[in-house]
Amino acid sequence: MAAQCAEDPSLERHFKGHRDAVTCVDFSLNTKQLASGSMDSCLMVWHMKPQSRAYRFTGHKDAVTCVNFSPSGHLLASGSRDKTVRIWVPNVKGESTVFRAHTATVRSVHFCSDGQSLVTASDDKTIKVWSTHRQKFLFSLSQHINWVRCAKFSPDGRLIVSASDDKTVKLWDKSSRECVHSYCEHGGFVTYVDFHPSGTCIAAAGMDNTVKVWDVRTHRLLQHYQLHSAAVNALSFHPSGNYLVTASSDSTLKILDLMEGRLLYTLHGHQGPATTVAFSRTGEYFASGGSDEQVMVWKSNFDVVDYGEAIKVQRPPATLTSSAGNLPEVDFPIPPGRGRNVESVQSQPQEPVSIPQTLTNTLEHIVGQLDVLTQTVSILEQRLTLTEDKLKQCLENQQLIMQRTTP
């Protein structure tokens, strides 16, 4: 695909429906749906197709703090200040299962890339991992000494990264359940953290107005940005790995060019703090939410070339010294296919594996339907349990009545 001239990001749509501050946003795999959570205790699923009605899901008893679509896009997880996590089937029925995940506010939910497990983080200072189906508790990680704001799986599912009000970012090995490293460079609460699409580095946002990027292999600080004038509340990597978007309480969104190590754009759209931001799975769009109760959808434009091609374009990595002093030279990860180890690739030619698109689509559909089917079984099981509990209560009440009436 021929490269086109890059343009400034543009505001495509804005959604109004929440009755309080928007706290979280996430796109489905096919970008047809956008989910948002709010302090109004509701979850909204917006349709990107014009003139389509949104779904309003009610069930949480307090503010919805986090939301995440499963990799297939057929399930949707949400966490709340009511200490529960709900798994929804994002259709017109809006059915869900609910489980008491923590003993305090649930701040973060994130599906593993295989869709089989879910990681949650909470004000109870713990991170917990659950099986997606039947929501079985698997294990807990508990070395943070203050609220845990965010927890994410690495792209390969082997690592977990967490951000906390104890001013640290912690890296965990999922199989050993051990803390691999603690990053202590933030000068305040760490609000958000995520993995680079390559899985080789992480970016974290903080109440100290900064964004920091570390290499998870060497644990070196690669980049440090101090561009916002207030707390940075959220961030999201573009799927190419070249860009990072941030949302701040200074009401702006900022787009950073990670390969050049510079600020590309500052976007003014929200009236008041911008609380959340997320790229779509293709990077064509990103969505933001704010305390102004609005959800905004932006068209990226700045990376309009074919995204597969964008990943292959190699640019020299950057060393940021202007905002962080003398940082070590950045060995920024180059995503797969960007030209590293060319000789070894050429010396071992391999036949490309071609899977027909129809077969791929069919397999994705089957996986999605299995997700929905399993979740439906979980919903039915939960209803049966409730029915059994009600029957037991009725029988107990009847026995009490009989005892009272018996002379």
Side-chain angles (χ1 to χ4, degrees), residues 196 198-202 213-223 241 258-259 314-320 327-335 338 340-341:
H196 185 273
S198 68
T200 55
C201 69
I202 52 173
V213 182
W214 292 276
D215 190 312
V216 298
R217 301 160 298 185
T218 62
H219 308 307
R220 284 165 49 195
L221 179 66
L222 299 178
Q223 295 184 341
L258 296 174
M259 301 309 290
Q314 186 173 353
R315 281 180 277 177
T319 303
L320 293 186
L327 286 183
E329 186 175 340
V330 175
D331 177 24
F332 208 79
I334 298 174
R338 286 180 61 115
R340 188 174 280 185
N341 297 332

Side-chain angles (χ1 to χ4, degrees), residues 4-39:
Q4 303 169 40
C5 293
E7 298 176 13
D8 296 344
S10 58
L11 182 61
E12 283 282 298
R13 305 183 65 180
H14 65 275
F15 296 111
K16 293 181 180 179
H18 283 298
R19 299 175 184 126
D20 206 336
V22 177
T23 57
C24 48
V25 289
D26 192 41
F27 282 98
S28 63
L29 175 70
N30 57 16
T31 318
K32 288 182 179 178
Q33 291 182 322
L34 171 65
S36 61
S38 167
M39 297 295 286

